[in-house]
Amino acid sequence: MPQSALTAGPALPGEAALTAARIDAILDARTRSLATRGTAPETQPTRSLLVCRTGAETVGLPLDGVAEVFPFRPCTPVPGAPASLVGLTGRGGILVSVVDLAVALGTAPAPPEDAAGHVVTLRRDGPRIGLRVDRVLSVTEAVVESLAGRAPETGPERMGLGRRVVAGYARPVSPGSRRDPDGSGSGFAVIDLASLLGPLLAAARPGPA
């Protein structure tokens, strides 16, 4: 039967308002919805970090490089040692060289000898080394972003840290979901332990006879 011979049925409520453009928009929206249905949101790999307060800054240490945490106690000074080397202490019958992290990073002067804090011993071959921090705050999972393209005012230079010792910038997995009282919820620098210890170990080696 020719299309012109078809008799239109009664109009449905609101049918007159559905213009051709409106119908196309509805169909496009439905197509996009069906295309994205069942797809999981893109995820980025995260790293486990030990979040610490050192001087005026909050920083992250890679958790796989941490062996133990214990309360700081007075150390035996080492004559002629670098300013960042607080001294030696014993832990389980093993000598631990304690390095003040804030001093090593250049963000704060050496604290008083009776200052409280924590020592984070590092998992490494060779002599045991511990980093003195003001406080260990938490263990967290975070996306670590590269420093490439990050402007100085938003990078480690803003905190007085050289890029050499910074592995990246940690971003909380769920930004805005919770802000810790210490401010770590807004992001923090992640320390490259090998780059941090390199100059200290080199200074400790005896020179050629």
Side-chain angles (χ1 to χ4, degrees):
M1 180 182 299
Q3 184 173 359
S4 59
L6 292 175
T7 303
L12 297 176
E15 185 176 3
L18 292 178
T19 63
R22 175 61 176 159
I23 292 173
D24 287 343
I26 293 173
L27 292 176
D28 287 343
R30 178 170 174 78
T31 301
R32 289 193 299 268
S33 175
L34 291 174
T36 58
R37 182 176 298 175
T39 59
E42 182 181 356
T43 59
Q44 294 178 277
T46 62
R47 294 189 67 182
S48 298
L49 302 171
L50 185 71
V51 185
C52 305
R53 191 74 175 172
T54 177
E57 305 299 337
T58 298
V59 298
L61 305 176
L63 192 61
D64 56 9
V66 173
E68 185 187 13
V69 176
F70 61 89
F72 175 77
R73 52 179 175 265
C75 299
T76 302
V78 178
S84 59
L85 181 58
V86 181
L88 302 175
T89 189
R91 182 69 176 172
I94 299 176
L95 278 179
V96 179
S97 299
V98 179
V99 173
D100 189 277
L101 181 56
V103 177
L105 294 174
T107 60
E113 291 184 4
D114 59 349
H118 292 101
V119 176
V120 180
T121 57
L122 304 179
R123 192 183 305 277
R124 59 184 301 273
D125 296 329
R128 187 64 58 88
I129 294 178
L131 301 178
R132 182 200 173 274
V133 298
D134 293 332
R135 186 182 174 194
V136 171
L137 300 173
S138 63
V139 173
T140 189
E141 290 288 325
V143 174
V144 179
E145 300 174 340
S146 169
L147 297 179
R150 185 177 285 271
E153 62 269 19
T154 62
E157 294 89 348
R158 176 184 61 83
M159 300 180 291
L161 304 177
R163 286 181 178 250
R164 177 186 62 81
V165 299
V166 177
Y169 194 77
R171 177 169 55 82
V173 175
S174 300
S177 61
R178 181 175 66 88
R179 287 186 174 273
D180 298 328
D182 54 84
S184 62
S186 59
F188 48 88
V190 178
I191 303 303
D192 184 323
L193 295 176
S195 298
L196 174 74
L197 296 180
L200 299 174
L201 295 175
R205 295 191 189 102

